[in-house]
């Protein structure tokens, strides 16, 4: 089985990743990104191992969205700074995950 990698975000932020063999999926809103992730999780054939989502879109995910993404080990949904720069969302999300797993935010 071969695993795939994808990135979701504004077209101008993600199009260069196609040169690396990454599937690029343009989205302009958080809701559109969630819909595309759900569609990608249901695809048959080679599954996605990692789906990167630009921070500007991923910071709009609801708690229900996050739970849905986390219920299966694959694909891993990873926020990534966009062409607009980092919003700090990725680090805050990682801190929340570590705190749940360890019981304390050891990243501070």
């Amino acid at each position: 089985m071969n695993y795939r990698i994808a990135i979701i975000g504004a077209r101008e932020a993600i199009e260069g990743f196609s040169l690396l063999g990454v599937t690029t999926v343009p989205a302009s809103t958080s809701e559109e990104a969630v819909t595309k992730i759900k569609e990608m999780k249901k695809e048959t054939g080679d599954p996605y191992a990692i789906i990167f989502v630009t921070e500007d879109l991923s910071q709009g995910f609801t708690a229900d969205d996050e739970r849905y993404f986390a219920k299966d080990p694959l694909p891993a949904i990873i926020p990534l700074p966009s062409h607009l720069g980092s919003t700090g969302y990725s680090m805050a999300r990682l801190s929340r995950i570590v705190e749940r797993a360890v019981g304390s935010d050891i990243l501070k």
Side-chain angles (χ1 to χ4, degrees), residues 9-14 54-56 80-86:
R11 184 176 308 279
E12 60 273 7
I14 64 170
T54 57
E55 281 185 344
D56 57 317
L80 200 66
S82 72
H83 64 295
L84 303 173
S86 178

Side-chain angles (χ1 to χ4, degrees), residues 21-86:
V22 175
T23 303
T24 57
V25 182
S28 55
T29 66
S30 297
E31 295 79 18
E32 188 179 359
V34 168
T35 300
K36 292 188 179 198
I37 291 170
K38 289 179 178 180
E39 290 170 359
M40 294 165 78
K41 285 178 69 99
K42 293 178 184 176
E43 285 183 17
T44 58
D46 292 335
Y48 287 95
I50 300 171
I51 299 175
F52 293 104
V53 183
T54 57
E55 281 185 344
D56 57 317
L57 297 179
S58 58
Q59 65 186 356
F61 293 166
T62 66
D64 288 338
D65 294 334
E66 295 277 350
R67 278 191 290 281
Y68 176 79
F69 301 151
K71 75 178 182 178
D72 298 315
L74 293 179
I77 310 299
I78 311 293
L80 200 66
S82 72
H83 64 295
L84 303 173
S86 178

